[in-house]
């Protein structure tokens, strides 16, 4: 975990850049870190972007207490991680176990607040492990259905073409990270899912 240190130190300072108490924690990998319009896209629900580059679900668990030290009373979590775990060769069941550990840490520190898991995206770069991605998504989706305060946000079907292959326009040249069009889909889908749980009014109010 040593190689995450610089990124973790950066994220630990994120709270000090905000002039409000964060309500919505975006936690996970570079798909959040590189989301440059995230603060504007979710301004109504006072977001804090605690994604860190290259993060796995295992790393989200490992660094949880350090990274959350400056967050006092969030009202919800949005999680995107697991992509890099599978890229590193982990088995879908391992990813599920780390997901469970992360939920346990959130529950232990912040109580039974809503947690939203964004499904692992299909990507051009990781097409060879698409089977593991699908299996992991199924496992975590089933897990979320056991708890009324866990929610599964399914971006997968929106990111493939009619042949089931990842839509090139949704990715940067590396075939892994999202393009502007990709983030537009994530914004719309995440907002719709949050709205269904916390109410449309909460997503329309002025901070």
């Amino acid at each position: 975990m040593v190689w995450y240190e610089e990124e973790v130190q950066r994220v630990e300072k994120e709270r000090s850049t905000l002039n409000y108490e964060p309500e919505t924690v975006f936690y996970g990998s570079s798909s959040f870190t590189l989301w440059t319009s995230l603060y504007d896209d979710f301004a109504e629900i006072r977001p804090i972007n605690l994604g860190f580059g290259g993060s796995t679900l295992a790393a989200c668990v490992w660094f949880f207490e350090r990274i959350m030290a400056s967050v006092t009373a969030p009202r919800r979590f949005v999680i995107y991680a697991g992509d890099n775990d599978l890229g590193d060769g982990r088995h879908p069941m391992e990813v599920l176990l780390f997901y469970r550990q992360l939920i346990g840490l959130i529950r232990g520190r912040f109580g039974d607040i809503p947690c939203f898991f964004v499904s692992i995206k299909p990507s051009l770069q990781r097409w060879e492990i698409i089977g593991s991605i699908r299996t992991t998504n199924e496992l975590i989706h089933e897990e979320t259905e056991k708890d009324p305060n866990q929610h599964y946000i399914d971006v997968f079907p929106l990111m493939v073409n009619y042949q089931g292959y990842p839509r090139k326009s949704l990715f940067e040249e590396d075939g892994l990270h999202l393009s502007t069009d990709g983030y537009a889909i994530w914004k719309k889908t995440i907002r719709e899912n949050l709205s269904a749980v916390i109410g449309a009014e909460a997503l329309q109010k002025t901070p």
Side-chain angles (χ1 to χ4, degrees):
M1 296 290 175
V2 175
W3 74 278
Y4 291 110
E5 187 61 31
E6 187 174 336
E7 266 291 90
V8 170
Q9 288 183 18
R10 177 188 63 77
V11 172
E12 285 179 305
K13 300 172 184 172
E14 189 72 10
R15 172 67 186 87
S16 65
T17 68
L18 305 178
N19 60 4
Y20 55 80
E21 190 62 38
E23 292 181 357
T24 307
V25 176
F26 286 78
Y27 191 44
S29 70
S30 58
S31 290
F32 282 168
T33 310
L34 300 174
W35 194 337
T36 56
S37 62
L38 187 147
Y39 281 103
D40 292 330
D41 292 343
F42 297 94
E44 310 98 312
I45 51 175
R46 298 178 184 273
I48 183 168
N49 189 345
L50 298 180
F52 54 107
S55 177
T56 57
L57 263 172
C60 287
V61 170
W62 184 268
F63 291 108
F64 182 84
E65 295 298 339
R66 274 183 62 183
I67 291 176
M68 298 302 156
S70 63
V71 180
T72 56
R75 300 178 65 176
R76 63 195 67 87
F77 265 70
V78 182
I79 302 162
Y80 183 79
D83 201 333
N84 291 325
D85 298 72
L86 296 174
D88 289 345
R90 287 198 174 97
H91 190 278
M93 279 303 299
E94 290 182 87
V95 182
L96 174 63
L97 293 176
F98 285 123
Y99 171 76
R100 286 174 175 166
Q101 288 184 20
L102 178 59
I103 294 298
L105 288 171
I106 294 171
R107 296 282 180 259
R109 187 175 183 89
F110 300 117
D112 195 23
I113 60 175
C115 294
F116 300 81
F117 180 83
V118 180
S119 66
I120 300 172
K121 65 182 184 295
S123 67
L124 298 162
Q125 188 183 109
R126 291 181 172 157
W127 184 246
E128 76 279 3
I129 59 168
I130 194 65
S132 293
I133 290 173
R134 287 195 176 100
T135 300
T136 305
N137 281 340
E138 289 170 3
L139 290 170
I140 294 180
H141 190 188
E142 290 172 2
E143 185 74 9
T144 62
E145 291 185 327
K146 300 174 184 174
D147 178 352
N149 269 334
Q150 290 184 52
H151 307 278
Y152 182 81
I153 299 178
D154 196 2
V155 297
F156 189 109
L158 304 173
M159 300 188 70
V160 295
N161 61 21
Y162 72 96
Q163 295 174 311
Y165 196 70
R167 294 163 56 189
K168 191 175 180 180
S169 64
L170 303 183
F171 295 90
E172 296 289 353
E173 287 187 5
D174 63 7
L176 179 64
H177 295 104
L178 296 179
S179 66
T180 300
D181 289 347
Y183 279 118
I185 287 178
W186 278 37
K187 173 188 173 183
K188 181 176 184 295
T189 308
I190 292 173
R191 285 182 66 91
E192 287 174 350
N193 279 267
L194 289 173
S195 178
V197 174
I198 68 175
E201 187 178 337
L203 275 164
Q204 294 172 354
K205 69 182 182 183
T206 302

